[in-house]
Amino acid sequence: MRETFYLFIVLVDYTRTIFSLYNPQFFLNRAVLEWLRLSLIIRLEHECCHYFTRRVFGSMRNNVLDELIADYQGIVAANNGRYRADWFLRFVGLEKFPNYQEGGRLENYRGNPALSDGAFRILQVFVKQAAENLEIFNQNHIEELTTVENQA
């Protein structure tokens, strides 16, 4: 049996990122530099989660559920085991719910044919509720989730 391997390559160009944002205040703002560090962790863990689900479950789909799972993994890896729904909601364009931020990643999952505007609003409600419930689950089970036995 021939095995297929999938390779994810994540390219990061810190030089371009830093210099495109260059001003003297930028380098004094540790919050921005810390976010650059955290966002790299989130992205790498996110992509590794997609790879893991493809290898272990034989499936990797381009849908909101897979993104929620992959972002969960990235966020907890970057945030000492704690999930932040507010981070996820910002990533997908729902940080000002019920208003949707145009250009958010949620647009990528409208489907083909695309969901109607009404259906897309319903999807936004479901996604927000799922993210918030996931945060509650994470908070309620943080002790169990961060043990060595439960780490992948």
Side-chain angles (χ1 to χ4, degrees):
M1 180 173 139
R2 186 166 180 233
E3 196 168 345
T4 304
F5 290 93
Y6 294 86
L7 176 63
F8 288 97
I9 300 174
V10 179
L11 300 175
V12 178
D13 184 349
Y14 281 114
T15 306
R16 192 153 123 230
T17 303
I18 290 174
F19 287 110
S20 68
L21 298 172
Y22 178 75
N23 69 58
Q25 295 304 313
F26 176 77
F27 290 103
L28 299 176
N29 186 347
R30 289 183 179 218
V32 172
L33 295 175
E34 178 65 3
W35 181 250
L36 288 173
R37 186 184 73 77
L38 292 175
S39 65
L40 178 59
I41 294 169
I42 293 168
R43 181 62 188 264
L44 290 173
E45 291 290 332
H46 173 105
E47 297 304 333
C48 287
C49 185
H50 282 313
Y51 178 74
F52 176 83
T53 59
R54 175 74 173 123
R55 295 276 296 154
V56 173
F57 301 115
S59 174
M60 182 180 75
R61 295 172 298 181
N62 189 24
N63 63 38
V64 177
L65 179 59
D66 281 16
E67 287 303 295
L68 179 64
I69 293 167
D71 276 12
Y72 174 87
Q73 182 60 37
I75 292 167
V76 299
N79 196 39
N80 299 315
R82 298 193 181 278
Y83 178 70
R84 298 269 313 258
D86 61 326
W87 289 7
F88 174 76
L89 294 172
R90 177 172 296 275
F91 300 160
V92 298
L94 293 173
E95 69 269 24
K96 295 179 183 174
F97 184 85
N99 298 319
Y100 177 72
Q101 184 69 35
E102 293 296 321
R105 282 181 24 227
L106 195 58
E107 290 173 18
N108 298 337
Y109 308 101
R110 283 191 86 148
N112 188 10
L115 291 173
S116 67
D117 290 342
F120 189 56
R121 282 191 291 279
I122 292 169
L123 177 64
Q124 292 169 26
V125 172
F126 289 153
V127 168
K128 182 177 186 297
Q129 289 174 345
E132 290 170 345
N133 287 334
L134 198 51
E135 183 170 0
I136 292 166
F137 174 84
N138 178 261
Q139 290 169 351
N140 290 341
H141 298 280
I142 193 70
E143 298 293 325
E144 302 158 64
L145 295 171
T146 55
T147 64
V148 174
E149 295 82 27
N150 288 324
Q151 299 296 306

